[in-house]
């Protein structure tokens, strides 16, 4: 197997890794801080930056990960179902790799302000059952045009998620940027409201006295993945025209 470039915890900053044949350029995790590194023009079998851990913590910011062959630019894997791994991934340029960002197992990173495009496969591959917070990133001209066409959330060609495999979570790409370093798109994303049973399986008929459950999926409503949100839903019918307001808590 090919060697790794840098492996360890703590702070990994301001390294240049170029024109090498590697397994993984930087392998770390937990609460590591990985910033200001340039990983470019390598023949990488697996990952540009690989993170694994649990709970909050860890930051990957200001790195350039471009043109690295078969690599996933940034790979994040969580190892504890009771403490989802949620590092911050921000202000990186991740272009021209096989995958941009690849999440696995119990990973729910907070991904924003990045340039993620030009991948030969997917720019974001969600191999988890959890929704991914990927709001406020630039996805390249072609994918941005898809998003601008409306009907969001929807199946985006370079994002692998629920729309490709309904056992996977959605990737929340709301507030996408118009260009690198651009302003967020404020076009509203259409939400959905479903009546369900207690397992959140859609249900259309209820017996007298039976409890009804309501599920709302709305990317615009989730403004901060680290804060519990509430949402007011108004219910009316053809015979009950006065709204009944139900407050839902995330």
């Amino acid at each position: 197997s090919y060697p790794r470039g840098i492996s360890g915890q703590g702070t990994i900053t301001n390294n240049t890794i170029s024109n090498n044949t590697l397994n993984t350029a930087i392998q770390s995790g937990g609460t590591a801080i990985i910033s200001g590194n340039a990983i470019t023009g390598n023949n990488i079998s697996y990952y540009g930056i690989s993170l694994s851990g649990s709970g909050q913590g860890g930051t990957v910011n200001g790195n350039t990960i471009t043109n690295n062959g078969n690599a996933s630019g940034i790979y994040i894997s969580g190892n504890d179902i009771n403490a989802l791994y949620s590092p911050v991934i921000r202000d990186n340029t991740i272009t021209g790799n096989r995958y941009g960002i690849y999440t696995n197992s119990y990973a729910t990173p907070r991904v924003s302000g990045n340039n993620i495009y030009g991948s030969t496969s997917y720019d974001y591959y969600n191999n988890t059952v959890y929704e991914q917070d990927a709001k406020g990133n630039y996805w390249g001209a072609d994918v941005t045009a898809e998003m601008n066409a409306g009907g969001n959330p929807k199946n985006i060609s370079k994002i692998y998620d629920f729309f490709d495999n309904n056992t996977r979570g959605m990737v929340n790409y709301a507030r996408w940027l118009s260009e690198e370093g651009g302003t967020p798109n404020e076009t509203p994303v259409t939400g959905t409201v479903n009546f369900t049973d207690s397992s959140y399986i859609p249900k259309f008929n209820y017996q007298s006295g039976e409890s009804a459950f309501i599920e709302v999926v709305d990317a615009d409503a989730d403004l901060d993945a680290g804060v519990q949100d509430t949402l007011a839903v108004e219910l009316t019918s053809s015979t009950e025209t006065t709204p009944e307001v139900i407050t839902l808590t995330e």
Side-chain angles (χ1 to χ4, degrees):
S1 63
Y2 297 124
R4 294 188 181 96
I6 298 171
S7 182
Q9 304 293 319
T11 300
I12 301 173
T13 62
N14 300 324
N15 298 282
T16 298
I17 303 174
S18 298
N19 303 314
N20 296 285
T21 298
L22 298 167
N23 178 311
T24 296
I26 296 176
Q27 182 166 338
S28 191
T31 58
I33 298 172
I34 302 173
S35 66
N37 300 285
I39 303 170
T40 62
N42 299 284
N43 178 18
I44 296 178
S45 302
Y46 293 105
Y47 316 122
I49 296 174
S50 174
L51 298 172
S52 64
S54 60
Q56 303 288 324
T59 301
V60 178
N61 73 288
N63 302 280
T64 299
I65 309 165
T66 62
N67 301 326
N68 292 295
N70 199 49
S72 299
I74 300 178
Y75 173 85
I76 308 108
S77 182
N79 56 29
D80 187 347
I81 192 173
N82 297 309
L84 302 181
Y85 188 40
S86 303
V88 172
I89 313 294
R90 67 169 179 249
D91 301 333
N92 302 282
T93 293
I94 311 164
T95 60
N97 306 290
R98 183 181 181 188
Y99 299 103
I101 292 178
Y102 192 113
T103 56
N104 200 30
S105 298
Y106 310 116
T108 55
R110 294 158 287 170
V111 180
S112 64
N114 303 281
N115 306 311
I116 314 169
Y117 61 86
S119 305
T120 57
S121 185
Y122 290 96
D123 292 327
Y124 201 117
Y125 194 103
N126 181 17
N127 196 35
T128 81
V129 301
Y130 305 103
E131 180 173 319
Q132 304 288 300
D133 181 357
K135 299 189 293 292
N137 297 284
Y138 178 61
W139 302 93
D142 291 344
V143 174
T144 299
E146 280 187 68
M147 295 172 178
N148 286 341
N152 300 291
K154 62 184 179 182
N155 190 13
I156 298 295
S157 62
K158 286 291 190 173
I159 295 177
Y160 183 91
D161 66 351
F162 172 85
F163 290 101
D164 304 280
N165 179 346
N166 64 11
T167 68
R168 298 294 177 253
M170 290 178 60
V171 173
N172 185 345
Y173 57 82
R175 307 187 77 242
W176 59 89
L177 304 184
S178 58
E179 59 186 356
E180 292 192 18
T183 56
N185 185 298
E186 300 296 349
T187 301
V189 175
T190 302
T192 61
V193 179
N194 296 310
F195 285 94
T196 74
D197 63 15
S198 60
S199 298
Y200 297 102
I201 297 172
K203 187 177 178 69
F204 304 101
N205 298 290
Y206 296 90
Q207 300 299 317
S208 177
E210 185 179 3
S211 296
F213 294 82
I214 297 174
E215 179 186 42
V216 175
V217 178
D218 189 345
D220 292 327
D222 188 16
L223 299 177
D224 186 339
V227 176
Q228 190 175 58
D229 297 303
T230 60
L231 194 67
V233 178
E234 291 188 357
L235 300 178
T236 62
S237 71
S238 58
T239 57
E240 297 288 342
T241 57
T242 300
E244 180 175 348
V245 179
I246 297 175
T247 300
L248 303 179
T249 302
E250 186 179 30

